[in-house]
């Protein structure tokens, strides 16, 4: 039973009614349930990625030299650009939620479109990175081409130590799973965009925008850790 | 016992619990000012630039903690403001933090095991050695695969370490050998 | 809940005079909608519960049959049944082989059989059984809600479960899997059997489990009827809540473990496979970080059922309500810090072994609190020896044995001797089968009239309970002895000195199988059309909300949202709470 009156509604703001499923008593109960469910789901996402991060730390512990020498082959600048892109998309997502809270229909649509665009930019940069790696024999695991990758490293003044196929295997799994989450994010964002264009969201009903936003922020959070660990840390 | 408090009819029920009308807030809604979002975004950019810049300095052992520290600050900014945890239901904060607690349990025990795996063996000198001779390499299913690019033995690792009786013992860990040599 | 109709009779025996005639009967949720679509696309938690019940029972049958096959092989020390079986099967396929060739394959066949038994029982039967079937059916009823919080997610969860099950069946038809249900590396990265489809199946089932967990957590938090405070929830709900917490926190780690295993097997990234530079013990850490909490996913709902059975059928307020409720949560939390006791001899560090051994003992405390509370509930209760209660008492007996032997195995030094022997097999069967499955069967009997509106034949049910009890203990009790004497698990031939005990075990398994089939038969028989004896809405005189509605319930569970003014175990007549519970 939140007070909508307290919120400053802009003139011209649109406030469509909230659809209420039969098994809920109040809109607040419905929205609260959805949001709580989303947070619990985010907890599962965090735990799932934590397994990958733990694998990374273990590999780093077992083969410190290998990890440090291998990561030099990753392009810090591309990683940095992607970080900025993803942070900005998180910002536009937050703005979309805010627009929905204020009943600014156009703002919702505009910001979700921006978020989707940034997501595509992110995937584009990833595509360039992946194909660049593949071109030099840097494949995950047993497909790793030691000869080609070794030459590529020497050209750039590095020496590959130990078993870099493990590092790159992990790199592709971590960024790959993250990429799958970005793609899933594009999917759900598109769904929300279609609904937003129909004018379904407003101050009384914006739970889908908010929950998709929460998911999108988690995708961002994972990247915030992936970036320094894979690209930067010496 | 469970019947301790009588329920009055004029109370508001929220999720089964009887509450006073002012306590019964079903969902926290808070609209943050625009300027706040801009400030948070700028801070995130600055911190990203900072980690990027720091990565060019050779901080040695400190590199990882510094990078993680900055990442944690960035993550808490996103959680607090973009994800509205600051104004959200306290229980959502609890869910988030307890998730981190369980991640901590997961990490702590496994890293503790890995870092202490050789300790008693080394103290007693009687257990099998887990390290393998780097010159002999790993039992590899792939010809030409494995330690081909391995540089010469690190000075600390004793080549006398013998192959473990267990076929599935630790992988050849030159780096690990060096790590352990440093730890003792 | 003060239920006036219950005041006249006190015994828990079903009596026809209790049928509620004050209100005209409405169509039950079965009758409200018809046709296959009303099942396949249903959003009704009750229908989903029934569907889960049916599917877990089908897989229970498959897993049980594979157990019967390998128990038959173990009748003799040398391999003869499986070679014979292999020869017959090859003959039927049109590729006859000699008995020597058949014998050469039989070790693998044995491995596949116990893998099918283990993997199907764990992933397709025990984990989804109680939460999926009874949890789905009862949770909203017990909370006084119209449905779970996310009915569509609930439906998705069931179909994801079915998809995972299809992957498992595919594995079975592709020649099976021989890694054991634990998928240990490096064997699982190298073996020629269908590891990918099996792990993909388990991965998908994990999603189903997570979605169910999220749904239940949110339902319990947000969907409680007015007055249903945390400490007025039935203990079954508390147990399901603790289970949901574990499902949510542990299953994602299983997902990533299986994903990494699949990647390791296809791409060889070198995390778990020592040949590629990985650490196989790390796999075991990852795996048991999920799978140890998962054994509590399996047993906690059993605890919940047990609390209901004991309290309702001894017609007494449960002893130590809060202690039982909170010990469920305590078990859920402690379960996350003990997984290393599966790895005492796997090559983890000795220090970690000592820490894990110590922490393992901590689980015994909340578990003992529960057992003592149940025993104290029975004390001076008005015990009705009907079938649900028989299973409840059976649970107390078998679970206590299973739980205590778990403490032996959690002791580092003892485990070094007992590890990978039949002692371990006996221990976890006493917990999983003697705990969860026994409680589940008891729960099915207890809620059968509520779920289906029919009553089974009590005499047949008692015979079934006796067969199950005798069969179960004959099968597994002497396996403790055998394991202590050094009989290793997972071998299909053995030293002749163990033959007598193995024969005893196999006979027990046959009795158990007969008992379970008998149980299934009379339960299904009770559903026949001609069995139109009216069933009371509340045949046992239970005080929790699910008994306040019609049997079987109407589509939206309750006519009006119930208002809860008292706890779930305040039985109107026998309960002299002042003496019993320090009121």
């Amino acid at each position: 039973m939140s007070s909508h009156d307290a919120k400053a509604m802009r003139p011209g703001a649109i406030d469509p009614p909230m659809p209420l499923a039969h098994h809920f008593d109040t809109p607040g109960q419905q929205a609260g349930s959805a949001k709580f469910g989303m947070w619990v789901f985010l907890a599962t996402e965090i735990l799932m990625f934590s397994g990958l991060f733990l694998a990374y730390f273990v590999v780093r512990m077992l083969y410190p030299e290998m990890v440090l020498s291998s990561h030099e082959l990753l392009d810090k600048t591309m990683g940095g650009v992607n970080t900025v892109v993803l942070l900005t998309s998180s910002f536009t997502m937050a703005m979309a939620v805010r627009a929905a809270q204020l009943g600014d229909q156009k703002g919702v649509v505009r910001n979700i479109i921006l978020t989707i665009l940034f997501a595509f930019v992110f995937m584009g940069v990833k595509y360039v990175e992946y194909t660049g790696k593949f071109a030099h024999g840097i494949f995950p695991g047993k497909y790793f081409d030691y000869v080609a990758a070794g030459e590529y490293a020497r050209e750039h003044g590095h020496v590959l130590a130990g078993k870099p196929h493990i590092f790159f295997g992990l790199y592709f799994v971590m960024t790959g799973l993250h990429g799958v989450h970005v793609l899933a994010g594009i999917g759900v964002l598109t769904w929300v965009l279609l609904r937003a264009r129909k004018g379904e969201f407003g101050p009384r009903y914006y739970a889908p925008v908010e929950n998709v936003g929460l998911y999108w922020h988690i995708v961002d959070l994972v990247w915030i850790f992936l970036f320094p660990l894979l690209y930067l840390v010496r | 016992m469970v019947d301790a408090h009588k329920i009055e009819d004029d109370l508001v029920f929220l999720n089964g619990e009887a509450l006073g009308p002012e306590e019964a807030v079903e969902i926290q809604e808070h609209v943050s000012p625009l300027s706040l979002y801009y400030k948070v975004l700028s801070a995130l950019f600055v911190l990203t630039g900072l980690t990027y810049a720091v990565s060019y300095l050779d901080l040695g052992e400190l590199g990882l903690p510094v990078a993680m520290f900055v990442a944690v600050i960035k993550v808490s900014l996103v959680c607090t403001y973009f994800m509205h945890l600051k104004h959200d239901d306290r229980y959502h904060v609890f869910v988030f933090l307890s998730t981190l607690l369980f991640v901590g349990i997961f990490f702590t025990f496994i890293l503790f095991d890995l870092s202490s795996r050789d300790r008693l063996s080394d103290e007693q000198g009687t257990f099998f050695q887990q390290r393998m001779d780097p010159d002999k390499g790993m039992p590899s299913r792939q010809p030409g695969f494995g330690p081909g690019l391995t540089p010469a033995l690190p000075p600390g690792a004793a080549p006398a370490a013998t192959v473990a009786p267990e076929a599935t013992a630790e992988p050849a860990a030159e780096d690990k050998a060096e790590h352990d040599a440093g730890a003792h | 809940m003060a239920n006036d109709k219950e005041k006249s009779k006190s015994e828990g025996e079903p009596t026809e005079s209790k049928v509620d005639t004050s209100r005209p009967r409405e169509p039950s949720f079965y009758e409200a909608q018809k046709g296959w679509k009303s099942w396949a696309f249903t959003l009704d938690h009750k229908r989903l519960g029934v569907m889960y019940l049916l599917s877990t029972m089908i897989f229970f049958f498959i897993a049980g049959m594979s157990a019967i096959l390998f128990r038959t092989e173990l009748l003799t020390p040398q391999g003869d049944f499986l070679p014979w079986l292999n020869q017959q099967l090859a003959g039927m396929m049109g590729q006859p082989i000699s008995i020597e060739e058949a014998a050469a394959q039989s070790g693998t066949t044995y491995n596949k059989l116990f893998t099918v038994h283990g993997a199907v029982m764990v992933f397709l039967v025990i984990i989804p059984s109680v939460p999926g079937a009874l949890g789905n059916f009862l949770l909203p009823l017990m909370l006084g809600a119209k449905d779970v919080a996310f009915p569509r997610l609930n439906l998705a969860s069931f179909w994801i479960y079915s998809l995972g099950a299809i992957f498992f069946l595919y594995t079975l038809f592709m020649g099976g899997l021989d890694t054991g249900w634990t998928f240990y590396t490096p064997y699982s990265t190298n073996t020629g059997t269908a590891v990918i489809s099996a792990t993909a199946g388990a991965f998908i089932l994990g999603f189903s489990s997570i979605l169910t967990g999220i749904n239940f957590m949110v339902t319990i938090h947000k969907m409680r009827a007015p007055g249903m405070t945390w400490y007025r929830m039935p203990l079954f709900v508390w147990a399901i809540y603790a289970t949901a917490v574990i499902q949510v926190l542990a299953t994602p780690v299983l997902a990533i473990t299986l994903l990494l295993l699949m990647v390791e097997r296809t791409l060889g990234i070198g995390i778990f496979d020592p040949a590629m530079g990985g650490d196989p013990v790390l796999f075991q850490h990852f795996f048991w970080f999920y799978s140890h909490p998962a054994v509590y996913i399996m047993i906690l709902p059993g605890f919940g059922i047990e609390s209901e059975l004991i309290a309702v059928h001894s017609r007494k307020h449960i002893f130590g309500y809060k202690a039982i409720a909170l010990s469920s949560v305590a078990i859920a939390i402690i379960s996350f810090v003990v997984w290393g006791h599966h790895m005492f001899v796997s090559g983890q560090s000795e220090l970690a072994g000592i820490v894990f051994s110590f922490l393992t003992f901590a689980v015994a405390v909340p578990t003992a609190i529960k057992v003592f509370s149940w025993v104290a509930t029975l004390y001076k209760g008005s015990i009705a020896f009907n079938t649900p209660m028989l299973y409840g008492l059976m649970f107390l007996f078998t679970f206590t044995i299973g739980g205590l032997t778990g403490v032996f195995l959690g002791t580092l030094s003892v485990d070094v001797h007992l590890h990978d022997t039949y002692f371990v097999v006996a221990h976890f069967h006493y917990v999983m089968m003697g705990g969860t499955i026994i409680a589940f069967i008891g729960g099915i009997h207890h809620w059968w009239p509520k779920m289906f509106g029919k009553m089974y034949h009590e005499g047949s049910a008692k015979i079934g309970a006796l067969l199950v009890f005798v069969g179960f203990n004959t099968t597994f009790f002497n396996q403790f002895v055998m394991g202590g004497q050094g009989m290793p698990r997972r071998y299909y031939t053995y030293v002749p000195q163990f033959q007598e005990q193995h024969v005893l075990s196999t006979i027990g398994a046959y009795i158990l199988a007969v008992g379970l089939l008998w149980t299934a038969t009379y339960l299904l028989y009770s559903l026949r059309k001609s069995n139109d004896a009216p069933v009371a809405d509340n045949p046992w005189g239970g005080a929790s909300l699910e008994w306040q509605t019609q049997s079987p319930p109407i589509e939206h569970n309750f006519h009006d949202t119930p208002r809860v003014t008292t706890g779930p175990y305040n039985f109107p007549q026998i309960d002299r709470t002042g003496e019993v519970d320090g009121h």
Side-chain angles (χ1 to χ4, degrees):
Chain A
M1 266 144 262
S2 65
S3 51
H4 294 284
D5 327 310
K7 239 181 284 177
M9 290 272 284
R10 272 202 237 170
I14 304 163
D15 188 7
M18 179 174 191
L20 182 63
H22 81 277
H23 57 292
F24 290 111
D25 295 326
T26 61
Q29 188 190 23
Q30 175 169 306
S33 300
K35 198 168 174 187
F36 180 52
M38 194 64 205
W39 270 104
V40 178
F41 175 71
L42 296 187
T44 69
E45 289 283 352
I46 293 171
L47 278 154
M48 187 172 81
F49 273 104
S50 78
L52 284 180
F53 283 107
L54 181 59
Y56 169 87
F57 281 115
V58 168
V59 167
R60 208 183 143 98
M61 200 166 163
L62 292 175
Y63 307 106
E65 294 300 319
M66 182 276 284
V67 170
L68 292 188
S69 69
S70 307
H71 99 274
E72 299 284 356
L73 292 189
L74 297 177
D75 192 329
K76 282 184 191 185
T77 312
M78 282 204 203
V81 167
N82 257 351
T83 310
V84 171
V85 168
L86 218 48
L87 287 174
T88 317
S89 78
S90 238
F91 167 77
T92 53
M93 192 67 233
M95 295 308 288
V97 176
R98 187 173 182 276
Q101 284 176 327
L102 295 175
D104 175 7
Q105 301 281 352
K106 281 184 187 156
V108 182
V109 173
R110 189 178 60 239
N111 279 302
I112 292 178
I113 289 177
L114 278 176
T115 311
I116 295 175
L117 277 182
F118 283 124
F120 273 111
V121 171
F122 180 88
M123 291 313 287
V125 175
K126 275 259 76 81
Y127 174 76
V128 174
E129 272 190 277
Y130 272 26
T131 45
K133 295 284 165 294
F134 293 157
H136 295 101
I138 300 176
F139 291 103
K142 64 187 174 197
Y143 300 103
F144 190 84
D145 185 342
Y146 267 88
V147 181
E151 265 174 34
Y152 176 63
R154 264 191 296 282
E155 280 167 26
H156 289 75
H158 303 301
V159 179
L160 278 184
K163 300 175 164 50
H165 71 270
I166 302 180
F167 177 81
F168 285 103
L170 207 49
Y171 164 79
F172 282 113
V173 173
M174 290 174 98
T175 54
L177 190 64
H178 180 260
V180 169
H181 277 81
V182 175
L183 289 178
I186 293 175
V188 286
L189 280 166
T190 312
W191 169 70
V192 168
L193 177 63
L194 294 177
R195 293 186 64 183
R197 281 167 60 104
K198 287 188 219 155
E200 288 189 21
F201 304 122
R204 268 187 288 174
Y205 180 56
Y206 59 92
V209 189
E210 192 179 29
N211 289 335
V212 166
L214 287 176
Y215 169 80
W216 190 251
H217 294 310
I218 277 289
V219 174
D220 186 27
L221 292 192
V222 172
W223 184 260
I224 288 177
F225 279 106
L226 278 182
F227 171 58
L229 286 178
L230 288 175
Y231 290 81
L232 296 183
V233 167
R234 285 174 186 264
Chain B
M1 51 181 273
V2 284
D3 203 7
H5 42 93
K6 274 271 181 219
I7 294 174
E8 305 298 331
D9 277 348
D10 55 337
L11 282 174
V12 177
F13 287 102
L14 178 64
N15 305 331
E17 312 274 349
L19 298 168
E22 71 284 347
E23 294 170 286
V25 180
E26 276 186 314
I27 183 161
Q28 303 281 342
E29 290 175 314
H30 180 87
V31 185
S32 308
L34 211 51
S35 59
L36 181 73
Y37 289 109
Y38 283 116
K39 276 182 207 153
V40 172
L41 183 67
S42 328
L44 289 172
F45 283 163
V46 169
L47 289 168
T48 307
L50 185 69
T51 24
Y52 188 80
V54 162
S55 76
Y56 283 99
L57 306 173
D58 194 358
L59 292 180
E61 292 278 294
L62 276 179
L64 187 63
V66 168
M68 286 298 94
F69 182 65
V70 176
V72 167
I73 295 180
K74 283 163 77 177
V75 162
S76 22
L77 280 177
V78 172
C79 287
T80 318
Y81 297 106
F82 283 0
M83 298 173 90
H84 295 130
L85 267 188
K86 188 175 180 192
H87 302 286
D88 207 341
D89 197 332
R90 291 295 96 183
Y91 198 75
H92 298 168
V93 182
F94 174 73
V95 168
F96 183 70
L97 292 181
S98 47
T99 308
L100 298 186
L101 174 74
F102 282 93
V103 171
I105 291 172
F106 187 36
F107 277 38
T108 312
F109 277 97
I110 294 179
L111 293 176
F112 167 69
D113 167 37
L114 278 150
S115 59
S116 64
R117 216 176 266 175
D118 291 338
R119 220 153 101 194
L120 287 187
S121 319
D122 288 355
E123 273 173 22
Q124 303 196 359
T126 49
F127 290 88
F128 63 83
Q129 290 289 313
Q130 294 186 322
R131 279 165 247 136
M132 299 179 77
D133 188 344
D135 293 330
K136 286 188 191 147
M138 292 298 301
S140 174
R141 293 198 308 279
Q142 302 240 325
F145 208 78
L149 297 174
T150 309
L153 255 186
T162 46
V163 176
E166 259 89 343
T168 57
E170 274 283 309
E174 303 88 1
D175 302 324
K176 186 166 184 293
E178 186 187 47
H179 170 83
D180 287 344
H184 284 272
Chain C
M1 268 122 281
N3 191 336
D4 298 342
K5 281 156 289 210
E6 301 308 323
K7 286 209 168 142
S8 53
K9 295 270 178 11
S10 63
E11 290 302 306
E13 297 288 338
T15 42
E16 289 168 17
S17 61
K18 283 189 200 165
V19 177
D20 182 0
T21 49
S22 59
R23 198 200 295 263
R25 292 190 75 78
E26 288 188 29
S28 71
F29 69 98
Y30 296 108
E31 296 149 356
Q33 290 177 35
K34 298 274 181 190
W36 67 272
K37 277 186 186 167
S38 74
W39 288 94
F41 302 111
T42 183
L43 300 182
D44 187 343
H45 66 98
K46 299 182 287 300
R47 282 172 184 253
L48 285 163
V50 173
M51 281 153 78
Y52 267 113
L53 180 62
L54 186 66
S55 32
T56 49
M57 287 305 104
I58 290 170
F59 286 105
F60 189 31
F61 178 76
I62 292 175
M65 282 301 113
S66 70
I68 290 297
L69 287 180
F70 65 70
R71 276 307 333 163
T72 305
E73 168 57 53
L74 291 171
L75 276 171
T76 53
Q78 70 283 6
D80 34 28
F81 173 67
L82 289 183
W84 175 82
L85 192 69
N86 270 333
Q87 201 185 21
Q88 295 300 312
L89 284 176
M92 280 197 292
M93 307 277 269
Q95 297 155 324
I97 49 174
S98 71
I99 193 76
E100 287 78 22
E101 284 173 305
Q105 302 167 3
S106 294
T108 311
T109 310
Y110 181 83
N111 289 350
K112 286 176 180 172
L113 283 175
F114 76 66
T115 303
V116 168
H117 175 71
V120 171
M121 278 308 286
V122 168
F123 291 115
L124 287 169
V125 182
I126 303 183
I127 289 180
S129 64
V130 185
L134 292 179
N136 253 324
F137 196 97
L138 294 168
L139 188 63
L141 286 171
M142 284 180 163
L143 293 174
K146 294 192 194 80
D147 206 325
V148 291
F150 309 119
R152 269 181 290 186
L153 201 64
N154 207 11
L155 177 67
S157 178
F158 176 78
W159 286 116
I160 292 171
Y161 166 83
S162 308
L163 182 67
I166 289 170
F167 270 81
F168 264 84
L169 290 177
Y170 173 81
T171 310
L172 212 57
F173 288 115
M174 288 306 287
L177 175 76
D178 64 346
T179 61
W181 77 278
T182 52
F183 308 114
Y184 272 12
T185 54
Y187 188 65
S188 58
T189 54
N190 298 324
T191 174
T193 50
V195 177
I196 296 285
S197 62
T199 43
F203 182 81
I204 294 166
L205 289 170
F207 274 100
S208 164
S209 189
I210 288 175
L211 296 182
T212 306
I214 293 178
N215 213 339
F216 285 0
M217 267 184 88
V218 178
T219 306
I220 293 170
H221 269 273
K222 300 282 183 187
M223 306 293 286
R224 305 199 302 276
M228 178 64 81
T229 58
W230 281 96
Y231 289 126
R232 283 183 188 162
M233 298 195 310
L235 287 166
F236 179 71
V237 176
W238 271 99
I240 289 288
Y241 183 71
T243 310
V245 170
I246 306 180
Q247 281 176 314
V248 161
L249 288 173
T251 319
V253 176
L254 175 76
I256 200 67
T257 309
L258 295 177
L259 196 70
L260 280 172
L261 176 60
M262 283 186 263
V263 174
E264 184 74 279
R265 197 174 153 86
T266 47
L267 301 178
I269 53 169
I271 307 258
F272 296 143
D273 184 355
M276 302 297 289
D279 182 354
V281 180
L282 187 64
F283 175 82
Q284 300 188 16
H285 272 303
F286 270 62
F287 183 79
W288 287 113
F289 182 82
Y290 163 74
S291 293
H292 190 74
V295 307
Y296 296 97
I297 295 180
M298 304 181 217
I299 191 63
L300 275 170
F303 290 163
I305 295 175
E306 178 68 4
S307 303
E308 301 294 322
L309 296 184
I310 295 282
V312 171
H313 297 287
S314 55
R315 305 220 35 82
K316 213 177 111 201
H317 192 290
I318 191 109
F319 181 89
Y321 173 90
K322 279 192 186 177
I324 296 182
L326 296 177
S327 64
S328 291
V329 180
I331 288 174
I333 293 166
I334 299 173
S335 73
F336 280 90
V337 293
V338 300
W339 78 84
H341 64 225
H342 294 270
M343 301 165 54
F344 284 152
V345 298
S346 295
Q348 77 173 346
S349 91
E350 294 82 350
L351 277 176
I354 292 164
V355 173
F356 278 125
S357 178
F358 176 74
L359 289 170
T360 302
F361 296 147
V363 184
V365 177
T367 316
I369 288 175
K370 282 175 183 296
V371 173
F372 287 131
S373 298
W374 292 323
V375 174
T377 307
L378 290 172
Y379 177 68
K380 285 192 175 172
S382 164
I383 299 172
F385 286 99
N386 49 25
T387 314
M389 188 56 161
L390 289 183
Y391 279 103
L393 297 173
M394 210 188 293
F395 175 98
L396 272 185
F397 180 81
T398 50
F399 175 75
T400 306
I401 294 176
L404 280 176
T405 49
V407 179
F408 302 3
L409 291 170
T411 313
L412 179 54
S413 51
V414 179
D415 182 72
V416 172
H417 175 68
L418 293 175
H419 193 90
D420 264 345
T421 67
Y422 267 72
F423 193 92
V424 179
V425 177
H427 156 68
F428 69 71
H429 279 93
Y430 261 87
V431 179
M432 301 286 96
M433 175 80 200
T436 311
I437 297 286
I438 294 287
F440 185 45
I441 300 175
I444 291 175
H445 283 88
H446 182 67
W447 284 294
W448 190 261
K450 181 53 66 185
M451 290 176 91
F452 298 102
K454 310 259 185 180
M455 186 56 87
Y456 48 83
H457 184 252
E458 180 69 17
S460 309
K462 282 187 171 137
I463 296 171
L466 185 70
L467 284 172
V468 168
F469 183 73
V470 171
F472 174 78
N473 285 294
T474 316
T475 313
F476 293 109
F477 194 81
N478 67 76
Q479 290 187 2
F480 283 121
V481 183
M482 226 184 334
Q485 290 169 348
M487 171 73 210
R489 64 193 280 213
R490 295 186 166 175
Y491 279 77
Y492 101 110
T493 55
Y494 53 89
V495 197
Q497 76 177 86
F498 293 115
Q499 186 172 9
E500 281 172 22
Q501 284 152 300
H502 269 300
V503 168
L504 193 61
S505 233
T506 304
I507 292 173
Y510 293 157
I511 301 174
L512 182 56
V514 169
L516 290 171
L517 289 172
W518 172 254
T519 305
T521 311
Y522 70 74
L523 282 178
L524 291 175
Y525 185 66
S526 77
L527 296 181
R528 70 195 185 279
K529 276 241 168 63
S530 57
N531 180 18
D532 51 4
V535 170
D537 289 347
N538 189 357
W540 318 118
S544 44
L545 281 184
E546 84 269 27
W547 300 112
Q548 309 305 311
T549 182
Q550 185 180 298
S551 289
I554 57 171
E555 198 178 11
H556 295 300
N557 294 351
F558 299 96
H559 291 277
D560 318 295
T561 306
R563 276 219 156 188
V564 186
T565 51
T566 173
Y569 303 108
N570 286 342
F571 302 107
Q573 53 283 73
I574 298 292
D575 190 12
R576 287 182 287 274
T577 37
E579 296 169 25
V580 178
D581 226 357
H583 241 279

